[in-house]
């Protein structure tokens, strides 16, 4: 299904000098099945921390997170994650990188090769199946990382600034690529970004976080169908509103 529930999540870090740092405080959010949600907010507001808790890579100090009603307490194959760093294995070629998770599951070689070929086609890299990461551009490496994540058939895909290291033109192309993949797979996607333009372009809803400790300041519905026109007056209006709210959140207003 892919329904994510975040209930009163607080995360407090203990620092070496004996002090504490509260990254998140009482975050509550319900994410619907097949929805694309973007998290935006000031730097250091806990967006990535929340994603790591959802991935089972970190634990909330208080509150809990659930997928389809089941508590998330450790990494789960129902949840895939794509990081800003490409995190590919340099000693594996493209098809071997995509099939890694299937190999860990014990899928027979012929089956995992067929599955990997399917997802390779989904990201349009068939002719690079035997290439190694160092032979690929940044955008191509990130497409391989996305293919590897969705090859495991997760219900939810977590994406932490996945296009942040790309140039503007490649980033726009990757946003279109992601939406094309979403149209074919209908995965629930939670996407952290510092680009308000990116959030307005891809999201069904935009969750705006306050400055640390991160709280849900406001949730904005983006009501239009896709593809969206970045040059339209409506697009500019929502982008301007979200930027204003982030500035207010950073200032503590």
């Amino acid at each position: 299904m892919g329904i994510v529930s975040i209930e009163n999540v607080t995360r407090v870090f203990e620092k070496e000098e004996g002090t504490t740092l509260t990254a998140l405080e009482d975050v509550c959010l319900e994410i619907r099945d097949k929805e694309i949600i973007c998290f935006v907010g000031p730097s250091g507001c806990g967006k990535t921390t929340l994603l790591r808790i959802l991935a089972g890579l970190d634990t909330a100090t208080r509150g809990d997170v659930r997928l389809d009603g089941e508590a998330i307490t450790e990494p789960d194959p129902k949840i895939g994650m794509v990081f800003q760093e490409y995190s590919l294995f340099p000693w594996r070629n493209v098809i071997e990188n995509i099939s890694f998770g299937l190999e860990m599951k014990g899928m027979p070689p012929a089956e995992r090769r067929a599955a990997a070929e399917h997802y390779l086609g989904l990201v349009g890299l068939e002719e690079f199946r035997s290439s190694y990461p160092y032979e690929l551009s940044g955008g191509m490496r990130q497409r391989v990382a996305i293919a590897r994540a969705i090859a495991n058939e997760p219900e939810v895909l977590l994406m932490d600034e996945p296009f942040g290291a790309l140039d503007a033109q490649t980033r726009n192309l990757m946003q279109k690529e992601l939406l094309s993949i979403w149209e074919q797979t209908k995965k629930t996607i939670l996407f952290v970004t510092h680009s308000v333009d990116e959030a307005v372009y891809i999201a069904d809803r935009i969750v705006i976080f306050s400055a640390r400790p991160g709280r849900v300041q406001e949730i904005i519905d983006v009501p239009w169908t896709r593809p969206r026109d970045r040059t339209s007056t409506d697009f500019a209006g929502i982008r301007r509103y979200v930027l204003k709210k982030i500035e207010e959140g950073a200032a503590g207003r």
Side-chain angles (χ1 to χ4, degrees):
M1 292 172 62
I3 300 171
V4 177
S5 175
I6 301 166
E7 300 175 2
N8 302 112
V9 165
T10 295
R11 179 65 170 103
V12 180
F13 291 97
E14 302 286 339
K15 302 181 76 174
E16 289 183 5
E17 59 269 28
T19 60
T20 61
L21 184 150
T22 303
L24 296 165
E25 188 168 70
D26 291 328
V27 174
C28 296
L29 189 62
E30 295 287 328
I31 292 109
R32 299 184 284 265
D33 188 30
K34 302 179 178 66
E35 187 173 33
I36 301 178
I37 292 280
C38 279
F39 295 163
V40 300
S43 292
C45 69
K47 303 182 294 294
T48 292
T49 298
L50 181 57
L51 226 59
R52 288 180 57 82
I53 292 170
L54 289 166
L57 300 173
D58 195 2
T59 305
T61 307
R62 295 190 298 277
D64 61 11
V65 290
R66 296 179 180 274
L67 173 60
D68 300 332
E70 297 292 326
I72 302 168
T73 57
E74 60 185 7
D76 189 318
K78 293 180 182 178
I79 302 171
M81 189 158 184
V82 178
F83 301 89
Q84 181 173 348
E85 302 81 17
Y86 308 119
S87 64
L88 301 178
F89 300 120
W91 60 89
R92 284 178 170 251
N93 64 25
V94 165
I95 201 72
E96 291 166 346
N97 262 288
I98 293 173
S99 63
F100 174 75
L102 305 176
E103 184 180 335
M104 293 299 98
K105 286 182 176 180
M107 182 180 286
E111 288 183 33
R112 70 173 180 256
R113 175 79 184 203
E117 288 283 354
H118 168 72
Y119 290 103
L120 182 67
L122 203 62
V123 297
L125 290 176
E126 297 94 329
E127 63 185 292
F128 297 95
R129 59 173 51 79
S130 299
S131 299
Y132 286 84
Y134 74 90
E135 300 176 292
L136 306 176
S137 68
M140 292 164 71
R141 289 196 294 269
Q142 200 59 298
R143 278 194 272 172
V144 176
I146 293 169
R148 185 176 64 182
I150 62 176
N152 291 319
E153 291 291 343
E155 294 182 16
V156 176
L157 189 60
L158 308 176
M159 308 188 80
D160 186 14
E161 279 280 345
F163 310 143
L166 303 177
D167 63 84
Q169 183 177 3
T170 304
R171 186 170 188 152
N172 287 350
L173 290 173
M174 287 302 300
Q175 292 162 10
K176 292 178 181 178
E177 194 80 42
L178 176 64
L179 292 176
S180 175
I181 293 168
W182 179 84
E183 285 290 345
Q184 296 174 72
T185 64
K186 290 297 193 289
K187 301 294 181 190
T188 303
I189 297 176
L190 281 69
F191 191 108
V192 167
T193 180
H194 283 97
S195 169
V196 173
D197 181 273
E198 184 167 67
V200 178
Y201 187 74
I202 70 172
D204 295 303
R205 289 189 295 161
I206 300 171
V207 179
I208 305 172
F209 283 81
S210 67
R212 189 174 62 239
R215 304 179 182 91
V216 175
Q217 181 181 346
E218 190 167 342
I219 301 174
I220 309 295
D221 285 294
V222 184
W224 318 306
T225 56
R226 304 180 186 94
R228 294 169 182 166
D229 180 2
R230 299 178 197 267
T231 66
S232 72
T233 303
D234 288 340
F235 192 102
I238 286 191
R239 182 174 55 204
R240 195 162 46 243
Y241 181 82
V242 173
L243 283 168
K244 177 185 175 186
K245 288 298 177 181
I246 292 174
E247 290 172 2
E248 290 176 356
R253 298 200 297 271

